[in-house]
Amino acid sequence: MLPRMPQALEGLVELALDVRWSWSHGADALWRRLDPDLWQSTANPWLMLIRIGDQRLQRLAADPDFLRELEEQLRTYRSAMAATTWFAEQGIEGRLRQVAYFSMEFGISETLPIYSGGLGMLAGDTLKTASDLGLPLTGVGLLYQQGYFRQVLDAEGRQTALYPFNDPIELPVMPLRDADGEWLRVSIPLPGRQLYLQLWQARIGRVRLLLLDSNDPLNTPADRGITGELYGGDGLTRLQQEMVLGIGGWRALRAAGLQPQVYHLNEGHAALAVLERARERMEADELTLEAALDITRAGNLFTTHTPVAAGFDRFPATLVRQQLGAYSAQIGVAVEQLLALAAEHPEDPESTINMARLAVRGSLAVNAVSALHEQVSKGLFAPWFPRWPLAQIPVGHVTNGVHVPSWDSPEADRFWTETCGKARWLGELDALSGDINSADDAALWRLRNHGRRQLVTFARTRLAAQHATLGADSQQIREAAEVLDPDALTLCFARRFATYKRPDLLLHDRHRLAGLLRDNQHPMQLIIAGKAHPSDRPGQAMIQQWIAFISEFELQHRVVFLADYDMRVAAQLVQGADVWINTPRRPWEASGTSGMKVLVNGGLNLSELDGWWAEAWRPELGWALGDGREHDADPAWDAIEASQLYDLLENAVRPEFYRHDARGIPVEWVARMRRSMAELTPRYSTNRMLREYLERYYLPLAEASERRSRNAGQAGREIEAWRMRLHRHWPNLHWDIPQVRQEADGWRVRIQVYLDDLQAEDIAVECFADAVDEWPMQCVRLQRGEALPGAVNGFAYQGLLPGDRPPAHFTPRLIPDHPEAQVPLELSLITWLDKALENPSDG
């Protein structure tokens, strides 16, 4: 519902309904003039318009200065929205019309609390970057009535979880309406009933975010609560939420009149979208489910963020059978056929249903979120591709990034604008490194000092408010407002408190840590923030350990724990931190983005060699923890890394920070800052990330989807027929012993292969060698030659192996082959010769 506004102020509604204000801060002064106190406490322009009284609005409508500022902001905003974008300049609109981006959470702003942590931050940053670049992308998510919990800590650090109500009227969202002004709804089948879903939309610059809400009066009270909490409830609620996101989300896109070519599944929560997309194709072209999947998977991309198998969403077969029964009847497919697509063990009718398995089966491309995570994911998915080499498990990677304008401080924004130009994050990034490398030492150090001092001021105010909430006396509140030193080396540690993130690693030797923090000659201070999931008792206990440490060693002036970690707190921390500390247990940090956010602000990283830092780190850019290997949950190794962490702080980080020249500038520190900012900020931005998705996945998938959709899905039908042929005849394939002879330019291999009733084009014959010592992985495809005399369907295959490598490294194999299919993603059959090739001299 739109607030009643004087005609002169109607432009405020246009500005407030576009959450672009969360990263484009040109109108901040305008909102502050509207109501300074409300702006300070909420930073939510839409809420301000709802709350501000008529008299105040009438006065502003008669204020010529305010009206001039409003008109200027409207002109700036409309000009920015109408400007030619990077995407438009590429001339590829015809190749990619629309991408749908599904995610269970979106971290756009703290004023739209439908996020929890890193997954949501990435999703929100992706939408913002799509707006900046002009990429035609639409987000699809859920509008939670409570969202993720808010955290309150008592004096002993015990966590209480609160769930404030998200009143949609106070959020920057509007009902999605049809041409007649009717509020759009979609429905999905649940056992014995329909679940009705209201559709909302948020404007994120040039991008829309569609949100589904089960709090519809037509639903039962229990069903109205399905979209109640993010990651809340039991397994039934989680499965129903995923049905809403996947099935309902697809129907929401259609209700909005959108027909995306590419469906990007951000984690397996949205995996059911692949079924719904296939359903439409089944109905349109009278296809089987398998044939429809063969067509539609060509436009689906699955991004996995999970570093451990336990992180995949799994549901009991009985529960999924019950909840999807009505849906399977609606689309005319046996529920057991749907379960088989996602079953971890398809031969077992009661096998656990794995949503990541469904996402893999329903997509033509799968990617991880860092180079290391690609290797981890290959290992996780390997059981689904039996006998395939680990290196060829079909997972690629696009390393995550951050939307830099969302995380830079106003001072950093000015610095980068003066150094690199106003349009620096709106297209190409190649020139940024050179521009930053030319920056003045003094300017860089001023930037760092300003950010730290702003953080200290914020932390003091926040801590005083925390104490006041707990009923502290005036003396305690005054003391809270004086903690920390604005000129001291400031370390920050902020993330979800979970055991694998090891937020207690710094506490391994509490006396040594206290000694470092008590040093008055070269002071060091620590700001901590983070929530533990309400059901995670070990995580909550780690919060209490920190509060107890602060009290036991009387370090209230040097260590601060900020409660209720959210985007607003995160922004202050990454803008002010000198050093960002991250201590996950390798390889459980799939990527991580918190450390990327400090880069633009001149902060440095001290992190475990995991996730993005494993590929980013070099000695001159920051500090690395660990040895780059995996040690599981080994207490002895934790002790070694804790000691290494203390050594780095004591002997490397702190001395460099306090080693000043005659001007008072730590030249080595500033040089490290400059290199980190120049090399890493562009590389770990969502600008680079989203353009990489466009080039490597969106465009190829859109084109593959178009090809498979032509002629009523003829290509999909052909792929289904090819798959059926291979399954029927694969057991009958056989071959003779290979012949190997040495030639001047390599090893000539000849193999006689008998194809049963398969077409010769259905398969490929290869010689594969895994990486060994100095030799890389190699795969040599053999060429089909003459038909074998007397054989019904036999051919000789031959090829030349490299002469500088022993032929015994190679093993012949048969694999499926089709010009349009992705092998092994779409068909993982493989047959190996029972032993490697023999050297001619060994034969």
Side-chain angles (χ1 to χ4, degrees):
M1 182 176 182
L2 293 173
R4 290 179 299 177
M5 303 293 292
Q7 185 175 359
L9 300 183
E10 287 178 350
L12 289 172
V13 174
E14 181 181 353
L15 293 175
L17 273 178
D18 189 339
V19 192
R20 184 174 179 271
W21 45 254
S22 67
W23 76 91
S24 179
H25 295 284
D28 285 3
L30 183 73
W31 303 122
R32 192 173 292 109
R33 286 188 64 182
L34 201 63
D35 188 318
D37 294 336
L38 199 52
W39 172 252
Q40 178 64 31
S41 62
T42 70
N44 183 347
W46 181 250
L47 176 61
M48 294 171 68
L49 296 188
I50 296 292
R51 293 289 184 90
I52 291 174
D54 290 343
Q55 290 186 358
R56 173 64 175 159
L57 291 173
Q58 292 295 341
R59 286 196 299 271
L60 290 170
D63 182 338
D65 289 339
F66 186 85
L67 293 179
R68 275 194 297 272
E69 177 65 15
L70 172 57
E71 185 60 32
E72 175 61 27
Q73 290 303 325
L74 279 170
R75 187 163 45 250
T76 300
Y77 167 71
R78 291 167 181 170
S79 175
M81 290 298 95
T84 301
T85 66
W86 174 87
F87 181 79
E89 291 173 344
Q90 307 311 302
I92 54 178
E93 292 102 324
R95 295 170 59 195
L96 182 69
R97 297 186 300 275
Q98 185 68 224
V99 176
Y101 187 92
F102 288 76
S103 183
M104 190 66 91
E105 51 175 302
F106 285 89
I108 307 294
S109 162
E110 66 273 11
T111 60
L112 189 56
I114 56 172
Y115 63 90
S116 162
L119 184 72
M121 296 300 99
L122 174 73
D125 281 7
T126 298
L127 263 58
K128 296 173 187 178
T129 306
S131 172
D132 290 343
L133 298 179
L135 192 69
L137 184 146
T138 298
V140 182
L142 306 185
L143 184 63
Y144 300 99
Q145 294 141 40
Q146 296 177 323
Y148 202 55
F149 78 95
R150 308 308 299 263
Q151 178 194 57
V152 174
L153 299 178
D154 67 13
E156 282 73 45
R158 288 186 292 264
Q159 174 180 283
T160 299
L162 303 177
Y163 294 89
F165 177 62
N166 284 343
D167 186 347
I169 292 176
E170 297 184 341
L171 303 178
V173 299
M174 293 295 291
L176 185 62
R177 300 187 183 276
D178 63 17
D180 297 325
E182 293 292 327
W183 192 350
L184 286 174
R185 288 172 169 81
V186 296
S187 66
I188 65 172
L190 290 179
R193 65 200 189 278
Q194 290 290 309
L195 177 69
Y196 296 94
L197 301 165
Q198 303 173 140
L199 303 186
W200 303 80
Q201 67 175 343
R203 176 65 64 183
I204 321 295
R206 297 179 178 88
V207 164
R208 280 199 294 175
L209 170 59
L210 305 184
L211 298 168
L212 297 99
D213 169 20
S214 68
N215 191 21
D216 188 296
L218 293 176
N219 293 327
T220 67
D223 285 352
R224 293 181 72 167
I226 288 175
T227 58
E229 299 175 19
L230 171 60
Y231 303 139
D234 55 13
L236 171 61
T237 302
R238 288 291 298 274
L239 176 58
Q240 290 173 335
Q241 286 185 347
E242 297 191 10
M243 293 175 69
V244 170
L245 178 62
I247 300 171
W250 184 93
R251 296 181 180 186
L253 288 164
R254 285 295 185 261
L258 298 173
Q259 295 190 343
Q261 297 156 289
V262 176
Y263 286 66
H264 189 164
L265 310 179
N266 191 37
E267 236 340 317
H269 308 129
L272 290 167
V274 306
L275 299 181
E276 183 63 6
R277 188 178 190 184
R279 177 196 64 80
E280 181 188 62
R281 199 74 207 198
M282 291 169 62
E283 295 176 356
D285 295 322
E286 298 182 352
L287 297 170
T288 65
L289 176 61
E290 284 294 340
L293 282 170
D294 284 332
I295 297 170
T296 57
R297 75 161 54 90
N300 297 339
L301 169 65
F302 170 44
T303 297
T304 174
H305 297 258
T306 304
V308 290
F312 294 130
D313 279 348
R314 291 179 167 89
F315 300 101
T318 301
L319 177 65
V320 180
R321 188 179 292 115
Q322 176 201 53
Q323 293 300 306
L324 281 183
Y327 177 73
S328 68
Q330 186 181 81
I331 67 176
V333 174
V335 69
E336 298 302 328
Q337 187 178 356
L338 299 185
L339 266 60
L341 292 170
E344 292 193 326
H345 305 287
E347 69 282 356
D348 178 5
E350 297 306 316
S351 172
T352 299
I353 302 305
N354 187 320
M355 288 303 180
R357 176 81 162 125
L358 176 59
V360 170
R361 292 284 299 275
S363 300
L364 198 67
V366 179
N367 78 279
V369 290
S370 71
L372 177 59
H373 185 229
E374 175 185 331
Q375 301 308 311
V376 171
S377 298
K378 286 177 183 290
L380 294 178
F381 294 156
W384 302 340
F385 301 91
R387 305 196 73 197
W388 277 84
L390 190 64
Q392 293 189 307
I393 302 300
V395 182
H397 83 273
V398 174
T399 302
N400 284 344
V402 298
H403 181 249
V404 179
S406 290
W407 301 105
D408 61 356
S409 68
E411 295 71 29
D413 182 70
R414 283 191 288 270
F415 173 84
W416 282 81
T417 299
E418 293 169 1
T419 307
C420 303
K422 192 170 182 61
R424 61 195 174 278
W425 305 116
L426 302 181
E428 303 300 330
L429 306 175
D430 297 343
L432 297 187
S433 294
D435 293 338
I436 291 296
N437 278 324
S438 66
D440 178 65
D441 279 6
L444 284 164
W445 188 232
R446 280 195 301 270
L447 170 67
R448 183 81 304 280
N449 286 333
H450 191 281
R452 184 187 327 105
R453 289 164 185 167
Q454 290 293 105
L455 172 57
V456 168
T457 299
F458 172 82
R460 289 171 173 174
T461 302
R462 183 94 175 187
L463 186 63
Q466 286 177 211
H467 285 352
T469 300
L470 295 175
D473 59 36
S474 57
Q475 176 66 22
Q476 288 176 295
I477 295 173
R478 282 196 301 273
E479 290 175 355
E482 298 173 354
V483 300
L484 306 175
D485 178 348
D487 292 313
L489 171 61
T490 301
L491 318 174
C492 289
F493 181 98
R495 58 203 10 90
R496 180 164 57 89
F497 269 56
T499 52
Y500 82 88
K501 292 181 180 289
R502 297 190 297 179
D504 58 343
L505 189 67
L506 267 169
L507 291 174
H508 194 273
D509 186 337
R510 296 178 304 145
H511 290 276
R512 186 172 180 185
L513 176 61
L516 287 169
L517 292 166
R518 282 174 169 162
D519 187 323
N520 290 320
Q521 184 177 2
H522 297 119
M524 186 167 64
Q525 56 199 11
L526 180 60
I527 303 177
I528 310 163
K531 299 176 179 179
H533 190 278
S535 62
D536 184 357
R537 300 303 177 192
Q540 294 178 44
M542 290 177 182
I543 296 175
Q544 291 180 261
Q545 290 174 30
W546 273 107
I547 301 302
F549 167 76
I550 295 169
S551 176
E552 178 185 353
F553 290 91
E554 298 181 345
L555 287 167
Q556 291 84 354
H557 63 302
R558 290 282 171 83
V559 185
V560 170
F561 197 112
L562 299 181
D564 202 27
Y565 183 42
D566 64 3
M567 288 186 71
R568 196 173 190 183
V569 174
Q572 294 292 329
L573 293 176
V574 300
Q575 290 168 13
D578 292 311
V579 178
W580 193 263
I581 295 179
N582 191 22
T583 56
R585 179 168 287 118
R586 179 183 165 117
W588 287 16
E589 182 97 298
S591 175
T593 58
S594 60
M596 299 176 187
K597 298 179 177 78
V598 306
L599 301 171
V600 67
N601 299 293
L604 298 172
N605 280 273
L606 192 173
S607 178
E608 181 75 26
L609 284 170
D610 196 9
W612 77 281
W613 193 237
E615 64 191 71
W617 175 76
R618 295 204 314 275
E620 64 271 22
L621 299 176
W623 298 274
L625 190 63
D627 61 359
R629 294 185 290 180
E630 298 164 22
H631 299 272
D632 296 322
D634 181 358
W637 182 254
D638 287 348
I640 291 171
E641 286 203 347
S643 179
Q644 184 184 6
L645 179 55
Y646 299 136
D647 288 343
L648 283 170
L649 291 172
E650 185 172 10
N651 302 318
V653 176
R654 187 173 63 180
E656 189 171 294
F657 182 86
Y658 286 107
R659 198 154 43 235
H660 293 181
D661 66 5
R663 299 170 296 168
I665 296 174
V667 177
E668 295 168 87
W669 188 277
V670 170
R672 194 184 296 270
M673 278 177 56
R674 180 186 290 105
R675 285 190 291 263
S676 172
M677 295 173 75
E679 295 184 31
L680 301 184
T681 309
R683 183 174 160 196
Y684 294 99
S685 69
T686 40
N687 180 303
R688 181 274 312 160
M689 181 198 81
L690 197 53
R691 290 191 298 143
E692 197 170 329
Y693 272 116
L694 175 68
E695 295 160 7
R696 294 179 54 188
Y697 292 110
Y698 293 168
L699 287 173
L701 289 174
E703 291 164 358
S705 180
E706 293 287 341
R707 288 196 304 272
R708 292 199 186 186
S709 297
R710 292 177 193 140
N711 302 319
Q714 181 62 32
R717 299 173 196 265
E718 291 175 358
I719 290 174
E720 182 190 28
W722 166 75
R723 182 185 295 104
M724 292 175 64
R725 284 198 306 274
L726 284 164
H727 277 298
R728 187 164 57 249
H729 297 291
W730 195 265
N732 298 325
L733 298 179
H734 62 283
W735 43 20
D736 286 342
I737 296 174
Q739 301 170 3
V740 182
R741 71 172 186 270
Q742 189 170 17
E743 296 184 354
D745 50 355
W747 303 97
R748 176 68 57 182
V749 178
R750 185 177 186 277
I751 307 176
Q752 296 180 3
V753 182
Y754 301 88
L755 303 180
D756 194 47
D757 284 335
L758 286 177
Q759 300 173 19
E761 294 77 13
D762 288 341
I763 64 100
V765 182
E766 297 177 337
C767 287
F768 175 85
D770 219 333
V772 178
D773 299 328
E774 73 273 19
W775 286 289
M777 183 195 78
Q778 288 180 283
C779 189
V780 177
R781 179 161 292 200
L782 306 187
Q783 301 302 310
R784 187 176 79 249
E786 73 279 7
L788 299 176
V792 175
N793 199 16
F795 297 89
Y797 289 79
Q798 60 178 310
L800 192 66
L801 305 183
D804 61 347
R805 186 168 190 172
H809 284 189
F810 290 87
T811 303
R813 67 184 189 182
L814 302 178
I815 64 170
D817 192 40
H818 189 285
E820 282 292 326
Q822 292 291 325
V823 176
L825 191 60
E826 295 188 271
L827 187 57
S828 61
L829 296 172
I830 190 169
T831 295
W832 295 86
L833 193 69
D834 57 7
K835 62 178 181 177
L837 295 174
E838 295 180 350
N839 292 329
S841 58
D842 297 336

